[in-house]
Amino acid sequence: MSSKFKRKKEDFVCDNCGIEVRGSGYTNHCPKCLYSKHVDIFPGDRAETCNGLMRPISAQESGGEWSITHKCLKCGKIQKNKISKDDDFGKVVEISARN
């Protein structure tokens, strides 16, 4: 079975906090506020037409790896994503305390 992931290196301005984010090809959320944008059906494909802002609703650690769960404020889709080394880990911990 082949992966449906499509690496796409893109820089963007966060729609939530306004910072300029340099994409690595794996970047799917803002490293400062951790918000994302609902643009993918499969990671990296940019085929989703919703384009809603995705709020980080929880963060969890499993097997030494952290992930953030986002919820689209427009359509309600829930998506889990791994954190990156550039993410504000204090913000990750803050979000995990809400769980």
Side-chain angles (χ1 to χ4, degrees):
M1 180 176 192
S2 65
S3 171
K4 294 184 182 196
F5 175 78
K6 292 182 174 87
R7 184 172 186 222
K8 190 163 187 166
K9 190 173 181 178
E10 298 173 303
D11 297 338
F12 63 94
V13 174
C14 177
D15 283 357
N16 183 62
C17 72
I19 71 159
E20 292 183 25
V21 179
R22 295 191 60 98
S24 68
Y26 300 103
T27 309
N28 69 349
H29 58 266
C30 174
K32 178 181 176 190
C33 70
L34 307 179
Y35 272 71
S36 186
K37 193 163 184 179
H38 192 187
V39 295
D40 295 338
I41 294 174
F42 296 105
D45 68 6
R46 304 302 185 256
E48 178 55 66
T49 58
C50 175
N51 289 313
L53 192 60
M54 297 187 81
R55 181 172 63 91
I57 59 171
S58 66
Q60 49 282 327
E61 182 269 334
S62 178
E65 289 195 356
W66 282 86
S67 61
I68 302 166
T69 301
H70 292 97
K71 182 175 183 178
C72 182
L73 299 176
K74 186 175 178 182
C75 75
K77 174 156 174 118
I78 294 179
Q79 179 77 38
K80 188 185 275 190
N81 297 293
K82 291 181 182 178
I83 70 164
S84 90
K85 65 177 179 56
D86 297 326
D87 288 348
D88 179 341
F89 194 70
K91 194 77 163 166
V92 173
V93 171
E94 178 185 316
I95 292 166
S96 74
R98 294 187 218 154
N99 298 349

